[in-house]
Amino acid sequence: MTGDLQPALQAAGFACVTVAAVLGALALRRPAREQPQVLRWTRAGFLLLSGALVAGGMASWPRQPGQQWGLLCWLIFFVVLHVHRVPGFKGRTAVLAGLAGWALAAGAYLGLR
Amino acid sequence: MPAPAGNPFHEHIPRQALALAGWVGFWAGLEALLRAQGLEERRQCLVFLAALAAAGLAALLTARPWLFRLFTSVRFAVTQGVFLGAAVALGMAATRAGGPEALRAEALFRSLWFCALLAVLAGSMLAVTWKRRPYNLARTGFLLVHVAPSLILLGGLCRRFAPAAGAWLVQAGCACLVIGCAWMFYLKPWLKRRESGS
């Protein structure tokens, strides 16, 4: 069960942060309108990626490349969510950090394949 | 050790990154030294815990307000996240490219320097948990999320001595993380909306 659940949660989490990245790219042009949505989708993705860590059996450190990628994504979006809370970084910088985080996660996935 | 007033350390990400690099270097050096002495992994872990406790105690006695400001700074959390992410990426790349054994993911996650980074993260989270007292129902999620890394680190260290208990602690930490996130992101706003509605 966990073997199927973990990739599913990872995929759902990554889909959410992809939506956040698309909205983030739009938010660079229309900041006020899209930014709350960016944070909402990033949070949903982070929650699903956290669920993937649990489903992947964090009882041992991640051994499979897929599990390691899940942990990396989780750390990337941990940083992105905290950047949204730094007073000087709110707004455009936080959105750019989200886009950079998404690019890193996607790059790491492509590197694994 | 007070930081300069105009450019406080707890808000200065590059200087925090340098300090973390020094922290990692110290633990990597100590680990190499212990390995050269022929100490097995469990004993290395005991030395790690004793040295960490001594460092924590010394820091608490000499620089408490400064350290508390640093550990509760969001910028420091960002720096730590970047460091941990870089460490995991390094482990993945070394495993994939057949790099040095010590840098491969399996060895990296068990290394003392990675545990030392996790210890700083756990210490930070506990400091933030302390700062945000008192807790009510709406803040329970925040409490769970910020206690989770300590449980995960404790479980990771405990697993070397009692595998079943360690695994249980890690799972409990992960469960706290998921429940806490769901609470913070969805239940807390709902509770707030309900309060303001009534």
Side-chain angles (χ1 to χ4, degrees), chain B:
Chain B
M1 192 170 66
N7 197 8
F9 185 62
H10 66 274
E11 286 182 4
H12 202 285
I13 290 180
R15 279 163 64 192
Q16 290 169 3
L18 270 179
L20 276 181
W23 177 253
V24 165
F26 168 75
W27 288 105
L30 183 68
E31 189 174 13
L33 191 72
L34 294 176
R35 214 172 271 164
Q37 298 285 325
L39 247 67
E40 59 166 355
E41 201 182 343
R42 282 185 184 191
R43 291 206 173 171
Q44 284 181 26
C45 187
L46 285 177
V47 173
F48 169 75
L49 286 173
L52 197 66
L57 195 67
L60 274 178
L61 291 176
T62 56
R64 202 167 53 182
W66 171 79
L67 203 69
F68 190 70
R69 270 200 303 276
L70 174 68
F71 272 45
T72 53
S73 149
V74 190
R75 284 174 194 248
F76 190 48
V78 169
T79 314
Q80 289 175 65
V82 169
F83 253 78
L84 281 167
V88 173
L90 183 72
M92 281 170 68
T95 310
R96 187 79 181 156
E101 190 66 42
L103 287 182
R104 292 188 191 176
E106 187 93 354
L108 187 136
F109 291 138
R110 297 181 78 87
S111 65
L112 291 189
W113 65 265
F114 189 78
C115 287
L117 272 180
L118 272 183
V120 174
L121 182 71
S124 270
M125 298 277 185
L126 288 178
V128 173
T129 308
W130 181 257
K131 189 182 177 183
R132 290 286 188 96
R133 288 166 306 137
Y135 286 96
N136 54 20
L137 190 63
R139 280 188 171 183
T140 307
F142 184 89
L143 178 69
L144 288 175
V145 164
H146 287 80
V147 163
S150 306
L151 287 176
I152 293 172
L153 172 70
L154 201 64
L157 292 173
C158 191
R159 204 160 42 209
R160 298 171 198 212
F161 305 99
W168 185 87
L169 274 173
V170 174
Q171 288 286 26
C174 288
C176 278
L177 186 70
V178 175
I179 296 168
C181 279
W183 200 304
M184 261 172 78
F185 299 157
Y186 300 105
L187 192 62
K188 185 182 164 187
W190 180 77
L191 284 171
K192 272 192 173 172
R193 274 199 303 273
R194 209 180 65 158
E195 260 179 32
S196 60
S198 64

